Every structure is written in C-alpha cells, then in structure tokens.
Amino acid sequence: MLDLPFLPFGVFLGSLGFACVVFVSAWCQHWRGGFAWDGGARTFNWHPVLMVTGMVVLYGAAALVYRLPPTWRGPKLPWKVLHGTLTLVAFGLAVLGLAAVFRFHNDRGTPNMYSLHSWLGLVTVLLFSCQWVAGFGAFLLPWAPAWLRALYKPVHVFFGSIILMLSVASCVSGINEKLFFSLKNGTTEYKRLPAEAVFANTLGLLILLFGVLVLGALARPSWKRPDADFPDSCQVPALPQGH
C-alpha cells in the first residue's frame, strides 16, 4: 500500500471537513429559511449545523491531533491540551445543538426523543461526555498514575472511534429524517429528488466520507506516534537474547 505523508492528507481532510460545514450551512440558509433563536423552524436549523461542525468535523480533527508529525517530538502536554480543548468545544457545540432542537420541539408541542435518530444522537452525546471526563482524569490530571494511563489508553482510543462512527450515523440519519419531514405539503416530494434532496444527500455522502477517512487515518500504522515517544505508554521491553 502506498505510504502517503500525513500532511497532504490532512490538508485534503481539512478541506473536506470545511466543505461539510459549508454544505450544511448552505442547506439550512438557502432551503430551510436561515437561522434564529425564537423557537421556530429557523431555531431548528442550528441543530444540524452545530452537530455536523462539533460532533463530526471538530471531533474528527481532535482525534487526529496525535497524527501530526510535530506531536511526535518534545513535550506531549501542549498537544493533550489542544486535543482536550477541541473535544470540549465540540461538546459545547453539541449541547447547543441539542438545546436548539429541544426548544423547537417544545415550542411547537412536538414530542421529544421518539425517533431512532434522536435516540442515537443522545447516546452519542452522552458517550462523548463520559469519554471527555474519563480522558481528562486519566491524561490531564497530574496525579493520574502511569499504569492507569496505560490501562485506559486503548479503551479511550476505541471509544473515540466508536463515538465518531455514531456521530456520522446520527448526522446522516438526521439529514434523511429532515428531508422526509420537509419535502411534502406543497414542496416537491422527496421521491422525486428535487434540488434540495440532491444537495442534502450529497452533504450526507461528504460527512460519511469524512468519517471514513478519519477512521482510516487513525488505523494507519505509519501515521501513529511511535510508542517509544509516549511517556505513558505500556511498552513491553524486549527480552534479552540468549547466547
């Protein structure tokens, strides 16, 4: 397999993430009426924008912090702080996104938490919050012992990938659900594939591609920080060779 350098890939992935944010913002602005915080339909429009920006793009960027070659040398603490800050901002945007959709539902008298999309999204955000608290306690607090960091690190990495997968699934299912609800009652039906459906479906594919590429980058061995450079790694020393 061709061993590509990470930086060009990172530039492409950053452009793809930016495209996801632009597409979801354009969809809500052009076809869904723009943005407001008055409890109406324009309040709901904050939900997809904030969720895609936070739970997919920023979260994916945070997951790849340690794939940057500069992080392989020198103190690791600044990169830990960057990783934690990006994920915290992503979580904050997700909370605002949830607040937008709950306000929209409550002002219209619409029940909350009845669809598979809503269940999946809430589970994702709850897992995300647990992941952040556990990661903060294990990797940023100075009194966390090295054995605890080594024990928790693979768990943290595993659930990080799971949360990203759930975030992508939540966003894609949410786009589909919104199109089913919106493209009727005077608008062109979804099954006739109007321009809005094509645009939003393309957004879903971009989000899916972004998530797949992030997971692929996380799994690529040549882009991982060498274990020897991890002060809190659990690397087993080599056994002495017999004579």
Side-chain angles (χ1 to χ4, degrees):
M1 186 175 180
L2 184 62
D3 192 13
L4 299 172
F6 176 79
L7 288 180
F9 173 85
V11 171
F12 171 76
L13 191 63
S15 301
L16 182 59
F18 181 74
C20 290
V21 176
V22 170
F23 265 63
V24 69
S25 301
W27 175 35
C28 293
Q29 179 66 46
H30 181 71
W31 279 285
R32 297 289 102 216
F35 303 92
W37 198 265
D38 55 6
R42 293 187 300 167
T43 300
F44 174 87
N45 290 340
W46 285 111
H47 177 68
V49 172
L50 293 172
M51 288 304 189
V52 170
T53 303
M55 293 298 295
V56 176
V57 177
L58 274 182
Y59 188 75
L64 294 178
V65 162
Y66 297 116
R67 298 305 185 267
L68 292 169
T71 68
W72 295 9
R73 299 176 299 275
K76 192 178 177 184
L77 181 60
W79 303 106
K80 288 183 179 182
V81 172
L82 177 60
H83 175 78
T85 301
L86 287 174
T87 51
L88 184 60
V89 172
F91 179 72
L93 293 180
V95 170
L96 288 175
L98 289 178
V101 71
F102 277 114
R103 177 170 183 182
F104 169 71
H105 283 172
N106 292 337
D107 283 9
R108 292 172 61 96
T110 303
N112 292 303
M113 303 306 300
Y114 64 89
S115 68
L116 177 60
H117 163 68
S118 62
W119 291 7
L120 189 61
L122 188 60
V123 166
T124 304
V125 175
L126 290 176
L127 278 177
F128 189 8
S129 63
C130 294
Q131 171 89 338
W132 194 92
V133 171
F136 179 81
F139 301 121
L140 281 175
L141 293 183
W143 55 79
W147 66 264
L148 177 61
R149 296 177 184 178
L151 183 66
Y152 177 62
K153 179 184 169 184
V155 178
H156 187 77
V157 172
F158 172 77
F159 275 100
S161 298
I162 293 297
I163 291 168
L164 180 61
M165 291 171 57
L166 291 174
S167 298
V168 170
S170 299
C171 289
V172 171
S173 63
I175 291 168
N176 196 242
E177 183 178 285
K178 182 62 176 177
L179 289 174
F180 274 118
F181 284 152
S182 300
L183 297 183
K184 59 181 181 180
N185 298 331
T187 62
T188 304
E189 293 181 316
Y190 189 16
K191 66 183 179 182
R192 299 188 182 278
L193 204 64
E196 180 181 357
V198 173
F199 191 88
N201 286 350
T202 303
L203 167 63
L205 290 178
L206 291 176
I207 292 171
L208 181 60
L209 178 60
F210 181 87
V212 168
L213 290 179
V214 170
L215 292 175
L218 291 174
R220 194 176 182 89
S222 62
W223 289 348
K224 293 182 180 180
R225 175 174 171 137
D227 286 340
D229 288 344
F230 279 112
D232 54 354
S233 66
C234 186
Q235 190 173 17
V236 179
L239 294 175
Q241 299 294 324
H243 296 284

